[in-house]
Every structure is written in structure tokens, then in C-alpha cells.
Amino acid sequence: MKVEKKVEKYARKKGWKVKARLEDGILYLEGEVPSYKEYVEIGRYAGKQKNVEGVVNRLKYKGKKEVKRKKGGNELIGEADVVIIGGGVTGCMIARELSKYKLDIILVEKAEDVACGATKANNAMVHTGIGEKMGTLKQKLCVEGHKMYEELSKQLDFPYEKNGMWIILTKDSFADMPIPSFLGNFIARFIIPRIILRRAKKLGIPMHIVKRKELLKEEPNVTSRALIAVYSPTYGVTSPYLFTIALAENAIDNGVKIMLETEVVDMITEGEEVKEVVTDKGRIKARYVINAAGIYADMVAEMAGAREYTIHPKKGSTLLFDKDYGNYIKHSMTILKFPRMEHYKGGGAMLTFERNIQLGPTLMEVEDREDTSVTAAEIKQIFSRFSLLLPNLPRKGVIAYFAGLRAATFTEDFIIRRAKKVRNFIHVAGIQSPGLAAAPAVAKMVVGLLKESGLEMVEKKDFNPYRKASVVIRELSVEERQKMVEKDARYGKVVCRCENVTEGEIVDAIHGKIGARNIDAIKRRTRAGMGRCQGSFCLPHVAKIISRETGIPLEEIKKNGNGSNLFIGKAKCLLEEENEN
Amino acid sequence: MKTDVAIIGGGPAGLAAAIEAKKHAKVTLIERNEELGGILQQCIHHGFGNFIFGEALTGPEYAEHFIEQMEGIDVMLNTTVLEIDKNKRMLLSSPDGVFEMEAKAIILAMGCRERTRTQIFIPGTRPAGIYTAGTAQRLINIEGVMLGKHVVILGSGDVGLIMARRFTLEGAKVEGVYEIMPKPGGLTRNIVQCLYDFDIPLHLSHTIVEIVGKRRVEGVFVAKVDENFKPIEETKRFVPCDTLILAVGLIPENELTKKIGIELDDITAGPVVDEGMETSIEGIFACGNVVHVHDLVDDVSFSAIIAGREAAKYANGRKIKRRKIKVKAGENVRYVVPQIINGRDMEEITFYFRVKKEMENVVTRLLVDGEVRKEKRELIVKPPEMVRLKVKGDLVMNANSISIEVKKVA
């Protein structure tokens, strides 16, 4: 049966009116379904069909919100060989990779900082690729990208560590399957580890089996229901935002122009070509456009006349633990549980490079592309799922929780290719996990695509691959620390007591290449406010330092972007208002 | 650098301890902020010092009484203790440099910090406009900024109540104070003076079940809770607001205490101390909110005076008995401080304790070796209000078992 008919039949059986049309590998869905739930259901069904490279889901449903686009600016604000849309890890990695060539590059980002979308809210794992579906593009790029981290971290001075990962099978691994427990345990102990090892061998990932006794000796807090583990020593962890900031700073050093708070609202096309990218700040002439817009990639593609997929956000929530529990586990760990949810590695207890345990992430379809709320149900779900792994990890250890949105397409794999009909537009879409690990390989692939589409790429002789991070005082020896204080007394004044961050480091963050202008930008760069008091003590100090260093009045300091003002004015402002009335 | 007594923290506890200790020894006071007084400086309301000075002072006035007496004490401002060990060696960081200090005795007086929305697992988004009550107090009273127009306060502890009044006086509308417990968390005088006098509604057995708002708080969902503190779904309602103030409890700040390896009390979250405020490690003392959270600053100062005196004596080489008799929390007593009686030669000892549940017409009793040795009538005892029982030192000096209990008067 033809794909269109199959999808239509599926919908008809459910009583929905859906028309499907396949054109050039893209399946377009039109019609109506009752709600967002069914919209996703049929989209996912369509995405699974053979030879479908993308699903554009135009189905209507009750309460569907139309996104209003901002008005574009008229002024010409730039001209570039390549315009990159999106300042997440993918966009910044591409910018840095392209900065090796003699090209004029502009990166536009709508937020006030780089790394503000999915990049900041993932769990920082540099996956090896073992958890991905075999044969997918994301697996291939993940395996390649993972291998590039070591070198990159040396060049760009960002945290990266191969801290390893346990894949653990327990008596609960098959508890939800309709098989007797002895059989489940047998499969868990003897079949699954061998399958994993075989895959690992095929992918060239070093892994080995660790018996229960040895596992529990290494990790005494792991459940005694554990049966066996497969250990992956090369599993990595980084800081997604410090990595992205490093990339962006190095790109700037090599001539890339980064425009923050610049939102793409339209594109001017001529024939099969994008001529200009229209932003709320003005127009940018572009020879090539790279769409790394994450959760908004489909909307940006639409502006270019290249809508070849629809993004359906999948939220992931994570609980973050106090560093006090940093030695509670030695390595990050995940529990394999069957049946496995589609396109979900399952999360686990993941250690950040600063040794905070992260429990999660969850996986939840959400309609709203800005919905980063953590629900009560998710918190409950995280505790119940991961108590199967670490049954005694105390709830009181949690210091924060956060959510991020995966920019999933209905075909679920990365979509990295030239647009079908627009000659100079390149999709880098559907980047969800393992997007962080894959980013370096994604950027290489984009270079290839640009060459293919006719962009002449001449390597720069003066490309500088190195970038130095700002000083992190807490990592210094006493003597080094003393030297820094002698240089600038502000390195002696501790502002964030929980994370031990000095005033000097905050000042550095403000005057960096991409200067921090708000509380969260400082937090991402320095960790001030990231500890157990969550900024209760340091917020007033940090706000004052930003104000002093930038000249922004204190009462106008924001938490993050526009609309996130911390204060409404000076004290007494409401009383004065009252008096005036 | 060397000193006799190093005091960590220049708030009410550290100040009182320093003044007492300097009578007998060389004292160094280490404060991480740019001024002394700690949290008192932002408490511009009055009500401090009723017991110690017999008058109701504002926070800064109370602090000033002590700050005036700093002469002869080596005060180090803007100085943070980075490392500390049980041999009383410290690594300090300040704008003047990073240096080591060795003390004969140390007094921990770091105070406490506020619980955040995370620690009580309020679901929802993470917008601007959520402040712990103490941070809000500092921002308004010291930094001179206004936080919002429509305010919801979670928690009826004293700081929450004070802030309800403060916001109202600043012209904001306090939509309500929500308290998960069936009884208010703060002192009765604060319920009356901060809420009732300003017609601010207090919703008992209520909590916040969700925070709404992307960039800035847009409102909160509140709900009534059942007897197990579970929100009742049908009672969920939306309260629009731009600011959420959290007054959901204080946690003693014992990060340094943990670094040294001092024994902590699970209930108070502070170090276990004896009647001289000495911790499980000889020569390291603790006082004030780092030991347990107090209701009144006067009691903080009292505990600090003991710590200051005993620490100075220790620095001067005095040896004491260490009998390590545990003070048991008996009927309707949640915890008692001091937790240990070593048999120091002290004229009187005050036991501070909190009850588990509210009771009227009771006697609080000290039992020594199974016998009632001291009794005190109380009209009412309730969990938010600390209870004191002052006894003669020689009553417990040679005791083999000690307990405190609260009994209904027959």
C-alpha cells in the first residue's frame, strides 16, 4: 500500500479526517483531529513509514494556537556568506567550524545569550552512541562527535571528562514484561549484556561486563536488586553552556559576528533562493542560510519556503542534587528497563563535571514550545523510576529542578541536509539527544553540505583554534589564588558561598567576549547561584555588580531575557505612584 | 596568623560571642560580608532585645549595641573561610589575600539559610519574581529596590509575616499568606501585628501546587491540603500575582561544620553541643542559628555568651570533664539543646526545646536519673515557639540520665 493511503487509513479507522500527500520524500498531513494528542499520534505513525524523510503536520485541532510572528526591521544590518540561525551548541559549533574558512559569517540568536534553549537544559552527557538506534544518522554523528571532544576541550579550554557510565540491569528490568521473573532475570543477565557488547564492538566503543558483586563493591549505593552491569569507560561529561560559550568566543575571535537578541521573523526569497534573512532588528543579506533554530527550526524553514518537517517538543525534566552527594556514586548510571519507550534512552543518575547527581530526564510530549515547567507528576515519576537504581538517595538532597525541550521531528532522526527546493538553505533540524555529543560531527557534515551546494571554501591561514577560559578561582592552588588576589583584590572576595565564586570571576563574566548581562548568564558562566541556596544570598550582590559594571540601573536588572525583570522599580515606587494618583 | 579564639560569622551570635570571649582571650572575628550585624541589618522592624535589653529595638539598633563593643577584637570583613580542619587551622580568602589562620578555639556562628522552592518541591516554571523572604527583605530594605505589586506569601513563619507587612507598607497588595499546617508558623504577636492589623488573609492548611509564568511570575495555583498535607485537587484555584515570597523554613548553615567532621543532630540540622556549646570536636564551639533555628535573637545572644566564655577558657588551657550524658527528648519534645551534658561547672543551664504538638496547661519537667528535679508551668506550648527551662547547674552536673518532657497538668 502507498504510504499516503496507509496513513489515511490509520486515521480513518480512528475516525479522523486526514489527507496525506507524499512529495519528494516529504509527507504532508492535512485535515483535522480532536486534540494535540492525536496530532502527535498520527504524526508519529506517519514518521515511521518507509521512505518518509520528513513529516509536515498541518493538522488542525481544537485550541491550536497560531504563532504570531514579530514585525521585521527594515534596515540592512548585515551581509554574510553564511547566516546561521540559532545560538545553541549546534549553531555555535557550526559557526566555529566555518570560521576556519575565508567566509563572512553571522550567527543570529533571539535570546540574550548563547546556549539558552535545549542546550542549557540537557544533562551534559557526551554519549558514546551505544544508546542510539543502530544505523541512524544521529548514532553515526554521535560516535564521531564523541571522539572529537578530547581535542576540542584542549583547544577551547572547557570542561570535559570521560567519567564513564554504568548500564545496569536489575530484577526490575523485565518486571513490566509479561514473562516469568526467572526468565526476565535470565535475559537480563545473559542476553542483554551480550547484545550491548556486540553493538559496542561494531561501533568501536570500548565496553565490558561487570558482575553484580564487583558493581556493588564499586557502587555500594546501587540497588541490591542489581544483576549485572555493562560499563562504558569512555562515556563523557561536559558543561553544555561553557562548551557553547567557548565555541562562540572562539568563533568571534576568528571573525564570526554574533547578534544576540535578534529574532528571525521572515526571509526574502527569489526563485529557489533565500536572499535575505529578516530579523526584528533588521535585514541581513545572505548567500547561504543554516537553520539551527532548534525547537523553532520548522518555523524558520517555513519562512524560507522549505518546510519539510514539523517539530513536536518533547520535554525532559531533571532533578539536580547537592554536591554533598557527589561521592554517592562513582560514575553516571542508567537502568535498562523493558519494554523500552521509543526514542528514549531512559535517563538515569548522571554526574555533572562538578559532581552534582542529576536524576532524569523524563520524556513528555508538550504542545507549548516554551513549556519548561516541571510538573508534580514528573517529580514523582523521576523518584519512582530511579529509586529502582538508587533506592536510598534522599529527597532532601535535591537543590534544583529544570526542564528542557527536545526539538524532535516525527521521523525522530536528525535532519541534516540541503533543502529540497531552496538552493542555499541547509537544515540542521530535529537535533535532540545526542545532539550535544554529535555537535562537532554535525558541524563537519554541514561544511560538506556547503561545499556540495557550491560555496567556495578556502581555509584561513590565520585561524586560531585556541581559546582560554576565564579563571576559576576555586580550582587554583593557594599560591595561585594569592597571586590572583594580588593582581585584583576582587578575586579575594567570595560572593557565592555555596559554589565559592569570587567577585572577580563575576566581573570577568560581565566583561567577557559575550558579556553576561543578567543573573542567569552570570550563573551559567561562574556557577554563582547554582548551589544549595539557589542564589538566595548572592542574588543581591550579583545584581549590584552587574549594575555597577554595565551601568544598567539596579532596578532594571533581569533574571534572563526580556520580561524577566527582577524588580519593578526603586523602593517606595508604588507609594509614589499612589501619591501621584 | 594565630589567634586564641576565632569566630566565624559576625551576626548576632558571632558578635555576642566575641564580646564575651575578649574578656579572657585574643579574639578574631571573621565576617564574609562588608559589614557586621548579619541579618539584623536588614530587619528594620522592631521587636528585638525585649529579654536582653528590656526594650524593643530594631535589628540595626540591636546590632549596634554589640558592634560598639568591638574594640580590642580583630575584625576581618569581606573574609570567607574556605577550608577548616579539626586542628583548628583555617584557610581564609579576602581582598587582602589568601592566608592561613590557626586558632586555639573556634566558634561557629554562621547562622542559617532559607529553604527554597526546591526543598518543598513546588512544581512549575522558574520565572523571575520568586524570592525567599530574607532575600526579599534585604533587597527592599538594604538595596532599595521594589520587587512586585501583587504578592503571594507561602509560609507563615516569622520572616514571612514580617514581609507581608513590609510589602503592604511599600504599597504592594499582599494577596494572601498560605500555610500548609493547620496552625500558623510564626509568633502570635507577629500574626496579629503583621497580618490582622493590615487585613491580610491567612489561609491555613493551604499550599502552592504550581508556579505559573514564563519570564516573570504570572500567578500560582493554590490548594487546600488534607490531614496528610496532600493537596486536594478540587480545591485548586489560581491566584494571579507577580511575586511569590517563600518563607518555608530555615536551615542551619553547616557546610563548614560538615567539613570538619563534627557530629550533627538530624532533627536540628546543627551540631550536637554540650552545655558549654562545645561540639563533638574539642575546642570547636557553636552558637546561634547554626546550632538550631531560634525564634528570638535574644536567645541567640545568650547562647553566644556561653560559647564565647567557654571557648576563651578552652583557649586558656582549661580542661573539663567529658561525661557525655545525652539529654533525652521525652514526651511531646521534638528536640533539646544542649543535646549533651558533660558536667561543666556552670551556675545555671537553660534547656531550649520545641514541642511536637500544641498543648495547653502543661508542666515542662527536667528528669534526672528518673526523678523530677525541676518543673515549670506553661499555659500553652506550640511547635513554632521555643520553650526554655532554666535549671541550676549542679542539678545535672553529676547526672547519669537526663530527660526533658512536657506533661498535661492533671
Side-chain angles (χ1 to χ4, degrees), chain A residues 10 28 46 101 122 175 214 302 315-316 337-338 351 373 428 495:
Chain A
Y10 179 89
Y28 297 85
Y101 302 90
N122 64 74
E214 210 181 314
E302 174 119 38
K315 187 169 66 166
K337 229 175 128 20
F338 296 85
L351 281 169
S373 66
V428 187
V495 172

Side-chain angles (χ1 to χ4, degrees), chain A residues 171 174-175 177-187:
Chain A
K171 287 178 184 166
F174 284 91
M177 296 289 278
I179 52 170
S181 61
F182 76 89
L183 185 58
N185 293 348
F186 179 83
I187 299 171

Side-chain angles (χ1 to χ4, degrees), chain B residues 56-105:
Chain B
L57 305 171
T58 65
E61 285 168 347
Y62 185 94
E64 204 46 41
H65 266 281
F66 293 88
I67 294 170
E68 278 168 2
Q69 303 175 57
M70 282 298 107
E71 214 188 294
I73 294 165
D74 188 12
V75 176
M76 304 175 72
L77 297 176
N78 293 309
T79 306
T80 300
V81 179
L82 301 174
E83 300 294 338
I84 186 166
D85 66 22
K86 59 180 191 298
N87 299 319
K88 304 173 200 75
R89 280 193 303 252
M90 289 174 281
L91 183 65
L92 310 179
S93 176
S94 85
D96 298 327
V98 180
F99 40 88
E100 282 178 26
M101 177 180 278
E102 205 178 320
K104 290 179 185 158

Side-chain angles (χ1 to χ4, degrees), chain B residues 46-328:
Chain B
H46 76 113
F48 300 91
N50 279 327
F51 289 85
I52 214 162
F53 299 117
E55 57 176 330
L57 305 171
T58 65
E61 285 168 347
Y62 185 94
E64 204 46 41
H65 266 281
F66 293 88
I67 294 170
E68 278 168 2
Q69 303 175 57
M70 282 298 107
E71 214 188 294
I73 294 165
D74 188 12
V75 176
M76 304 175 72
L77 297 176
N78 293 309
T79 306
T80 300
V81 179
L82 301 174
E83 300 294 338
I84 186 166
D85 66 22
K86 59 180 191 298
N87 299 319
K88 304 173 200 75
R89 280 193 303 252
M90 289 174 281
L91 183 65
L92 310 179
S93 176
S94 85
D96 298 327
V98 180
F99 40 88
E100 282 178 26
M101 177 180 278
E102 205 178 320
K104 290 179 185 158
I106 288 177
I107 301 176
L108 305 172
M110 293 88 72
C112 56
R113 66 166 184 271
E114 296 173 280
R115 292 172 84 194
T116 67
R117 63 89 64 94
T118 311
Q119 273 129 9
I120 51 169
F121 292 100
I122 308 177
T125 53
R126 303 206 294 166
I130 307 170
Y131 299 94
T132 51
T135 305
Q137 190 178 42
R138 178 176 178 99
L139 285 166
I140 297 174
N141 293 350
I142 295 195
E143 312 304 346
V145 285
M146 189 54 189
L147 310 186
K149 269 186 179 178
H150 298 276
V151 183
V152 163
I153 296 178
L154 180 65
S156 62
D158 291 312
V159 204
L161 302 174
I162 300 283
M163 285 317 291
R165 177 174 65 185
R166 191 74 191 92
F167 271 107
T168 310
L169 292 173
E170 278 289 329
K173 170 106 176 79
V174 177
E175 307 293 340
V177 174
Y178 295 84
E179 168 61 56
I180 195 164
M181 305 298 285
K183 302 260 180 183
L187 301 172
T188 311
R189 72 165 199 223
N190 282 333
I191 300 284
V192 176
Q193 293 170 10
C194 298
L195 298 188
Y196 297 167
D197 289 358
F198 294 89
D199 293 326
I200 297 168
L202 171 63
H203 304 272
L204 296 171
S205 294
H206 271 76
T207 194
I208 290 173
V209 292
E210 191 185 340
I211 298 169
V212 181
K214 277 170 187 160
R215 292 299 174 113
R216 175 85 199 193
V217 174
E218 288 159 26
V220 293
F221 279 98
V222 299
K224 212 171 156 42
V225 298
D226 64 19
E227 58 274 16
N228 301 315
F229 307 112
K230 280 240 157 61
I232 305 165
E233 186 62 29
E234 307 81 72
T235 63
K236 194 170 146 180
R237 66 174 198 276
F238 185 68
V239 181
C241 62
D242 60 13
T243 307
L244 171 62
I245 299 298
L246 299 167
V248 290
L250 302 168
I251 309 169
E253 265 235 311
N254 279 296
E255 319 320 318
L256 292 175
T257 322
K258 285 181 206 161
K259 269 190 187 171
I260 314 170
I262 287 171
E263 187 190 344
L264 293 177
D265 181 328
D266 279 345
I267 299 176
T268 59
V272 170
V273 292
D274 75 354
E275 71 271 36
M277 304 310 285
E278 192 175 29
T279 68
S280 64
I281 292 189
E282 267 187 42
I284 301 186
F285 297 76
C287 57
N289 281 349
V290 87
V291 178
H292 63 136
V293 177
H294 295 68
D295 310 336
L296 299 175
V297 71
D298 304 63
D299 290 323
V300 166
S301 302
F302 286 132
S303 77
I305 291 167
I306 297 170
R309 183 186 69 219
E310 298 298 307
K313 284 186 189 167
Y314 179 88
N316 290 330
R318 192 212 28 186
K319 295 272 178 282
I320 62 149
K321 299 187 269 188
R322 287 179 199 282
R323 304 190 62 237
K324 295 188 180 168
I325 303 299
K326 274 214 167 94
V327 182
K328 277 192 217 101

